Amino acid sequence: MKNKSRKGFTLIELLVVMVILGLLAALVAPKFFGKISDSKIKTAKTQIELFGGALDSFYLDAGRYPTTEEGLQALIEKPAGMEDSEWKGPYLPKEVIPKDPWGNEYVYKSPGEHGRYDLLSKGADGEIGGTGDGEDIVSWR
């Protein structure tokens, strides 16, 4: 009689491995995705600080902040009607205004309700206001 060696896994063994992998994924995934959310919030705060520095440089050169109509675009392109001696930009290193980490445009208003200008990201929900991940990231806090 020949000795048949068993090759492969039984269905029970495969199911046990899949259950273990599922449990590991259920434990690790929420922590991992929480880190991604935190990093997007930190990125938005950092970008708002960068815009704040560029807006202050614009203010030092022009004696005013860009108007709401001029927007953040005034940091990379000289606004119409502005003298060359007033605008010494570009004030940002890139040729386009970056979007927030969720792919939305930053909201800029000048004069602002909370200071000379208001600058905010709408957060993960893309709406003004919100809580948790959807909370706005603002320049005045």
Side-chain angles (χ1 to χ4, degrees):
M1 201 169 195
K2 292 184 180 179
N3 185 9
K4 291 186 178 180
S5 62
R6 196 177 106 191
K7 295 183 179 181
F9 297 101
T10 66
L11 180 60
I12 299 284
E13 291 170 328
L14 288 174
L15 288 174
V16 168
V17 168
M18 291 186 65
V19 166
I20 291 171
L21 289 174
L23 289 171
L24 284 173
L27 293 173
V28 173
K31 291 182 181 185
F32 178 72
F33 288 117
K35 297 276 187 203
I36 290 174
S37 175
D38 289 347
S39 68
K40 285 185 176 188
I41 291 169
K42 287 178 185 176
T43 299
K45 287 179 180 180
T46 301
Q47 283 181 325
I48 286 174
E49 287 178 22
L50 175 69
F51 288 137
L55 287 164
D56 290 341
S57 293
F58 183 99
Y59 178 82
L60 290 173
D61 291 343
R64 66 175 180 84
Y65 287 101
T67 63
T68 302
E69 292 75 29
E70 292 169 340
L72 296 175
Q73 193 66 27
L75 299 174
I76 56 175
E77 291 178 6
K78 183 177 80 161
M82 202 170 184
E83 300 293 326
D84 288 337
S85 62
E86 293 177 318
W87 194 82
K88 295 180 175 61
Y91 299 94
L92 292 174
K94 297 194 177 188
E95 295 181 9
V96 294
I97 301 296
K99 294 186 178 190
D100 74 8
W102 298 276
N104 302 312
E105 301 287 334
Y106 282 94
V107 177
Y108 173 78
K109 290 185 349 186
S110 179
E113 296 173 18
H114 302 93
R116 292 188 171 193
Y117 66 85
D118 291 350
L119 180 60
L120 66 95
S121 163
K122 298 176 189 174
D125 64 0
E127 301 289 329
I128 299 286
T131 58
D133 289 348
E135 184 176 1
D136 298 343
I137 295 98
V138 298
S139 62
W140 56 88
R141 281 190 221 140

